[in-house]
Amino acid sequence: MSMFSIFGVSGSAVSAQSQRLNVVASNLANADAVAGPDGKIYKGRQVVFETVLMDSQASAGVKVSTISENQEPGKRTHNPSHPMADAEGFITQSNVNPVEEMVNMISASRSYQNNVEVMNTAKTLLLKTLQLGQ
Amino acid sequence: MFAQMTNSLDFHSKALVVRAERQRVIASNIANADTPGYVARDVNFREAMANATGNSTSPVASRMSSSTSNSKHIPLTSSTGELGGNPLAYAPQTQPSMDGNSVDLDRERSNFVDNAVRYESTLRFINGHAKTILSAIQGQ
């Protein structure tokens, strides 16, 4: 049944988008995290999507292939009263850009909604097909 | 006699299969709207119906069947599931993007709704036809 595989396709997209949303949430949560004594900062993460073929070439789902880390240096601010400040009075924070993350979040949420709507439509059509001849 | 009665039913059921297939292809496009390098696909409904009903008078279909002029040629095989010898077409790219993704989400969404409505109308045709046949059998 071809229509049933829509749930597989859209389901894979929904789970991939929710994983993206998860990564955005962890980035935003750690946006102001200060580097510890070892000098390592929290590096912003980003998901990389990849097409995955379902049963035939006509239906292509999506999955998260890798999660890449942003290798830019963290932002340094002068704050001598901070307990983690170094000898020069600077603290190093994560390299997350909150504005980019917010945009990413909106995009992920819209794609999620789109796929849920696709599943709802497919479900309605299948139910109507089930009532055929009544 | 009965074969003639169900001819139109047959036609609509084939249309239903093609509509379902197209729905699946568009769902794949929407699912991969954020995938880098994904190329949007679409079903050419006219060709798919011509293939399904057996009168492949469309130019592409006849060109494809004549493409193997030598027995050693490798025939073009289908890349789809239920559409038989009907390869999927590539949807035209409207707004090129840096990551090579050619899905236009607005177009896909309108295509999806359009296809859903047409699927439902085909269902109603079948339903009405079945009711007609039933009332003819009952004769009341």
Side-chain angles (χ1 to χ4, degrees):
Chain A
M1 275 300 288
S2 55
M3 284 277 271
F4 279 110
S5 66
I6 288 182
F7 295 110
V9 170
S10 294
S12 74
V14 163
S15 95
Q17 295 293 349
S18 80
Q19 201 170 339
R20 180 180 172 196
L21 216 52
N22 242 325
V23 169
V24 170
S26 92
N27 284 349
L28 278 176
N30 288 288
D32 287 331
V34 181
D38 57 352
K40 279 185 184 161
I41 55 161
Y42 175 85
K43 287 172 180 157
R45 282 137 224 252
Q46 212 170 10
V47 294
V48 179
F49 287 150
E50 189 185 79
T51 304
V52 48
L53 291 181
M54 311 296 274
D55 47 352
S56 78
Q57 282 200 357
S59 52
V62 62
K63 70 166 187 195
V64 174
S65 60
T66 49
I67 294 178
S68 67
E69 282 187 343
N70 187 355
Q71 296 299 338
E72 281 173 31
K75 57 174 179 285
R76 279 166 66 79
T77 33
H78 188 66
N79 190 356
S81 60
H82 197 278
M84 302 306 282
D86 59 9
E88 295 159 358
F90 280 95
I91 53 167
T92 315
Q93 286 169 309
S94 73
N95 61 0
V96 175
N97 182 350
V99 178
E100 273 175 25
E101 296 304 325
M102 292 301 277
V103 171
N104 214 350
M105 179 190 79
I106 293 170
S107 171
S109 119
R110 290 283 178 263
S111 299
Y112 191 101
Q113 287 172 18
N114 270 330
N115 282 291
V116 169
E117 209 177 296
V118 166
M119 279 197 278
N120 268 333
T121 310
K123 180 193 155 207
T124 315
L125 288 181
L126 279 170
L127 282 179
K128 289 229 165 99
T129 316
L130 211 57
Q131 291 169 352
L132 204 65
Q134 283 181 7
Chain B
M1 172 67 188
F2 198 70
Q4 272 175 3
M5 208 152 83
T6 55
N7 261 352
S8 140
L9 212 57
D10 244 24
F11 179 78
H12 284 304
S13 73
K14 275 167 186 151
L16 204 64
V17 170
V18 177
R19 286 281 170 217
E21 188 81 6
R22 183 161 185 242
Q23 198 79 347
R24 197 168 67 148
V25 171
I26 299 172
S28 303
N29 288 346
I30 293 178
N32 283 285
D34 292 324
T35 312
Y38 179 82
V39 182
R41 317 292 300 266
D42 205 350
V43 171
N44 187 337
F45 190 79
R46 179 200 290 266
E47 267 174 42
M49 269 318 278
N51 271 5
T53 50
N55 52 2
S56 48
T57 50
S58 67
V60 173
S62 58
R63 179 155 48 84
M64 274 189 42
S65 57
S66 66
S67 64
T68 53
S69 52
N70 190 306
S71 60
K72 285 175 183 168
H73 286 173
I74 301 169
L76 289 172
T77 50
S78 78
S79 60
T80 66
E82 302 195 9
L83 287 184
N86 209 57
L88 285 178
Y90 290 98
Q93 191 170 22
T94 48
Q95 295 176 44
S97 63
M98 288 282 280
D99 62 355
N101 186 308
S102 76
V103 177
D104 180 352
L105 205 53
D106 302 320
R107 183 188 61 200
E108 298 304 335
R109 279 188 59 134
S110 70
N111 276 352
F112 191 81
V113 174
D114 172 85
N115 202 57
V117 170
R118 285 171 199 271
Y119 182 93
E120 235 183 285
S121 67
T122 306
L123 271 184
R124 291 206 183 180
F125 276 127
I126 295 177
N127 247 334
H129 205 87
K131 285 210 175 86
T132 311
I133 293 177
L134 270 181
S135 71
I137 292 171
Q138 287 166 349
Q140 289 170 6

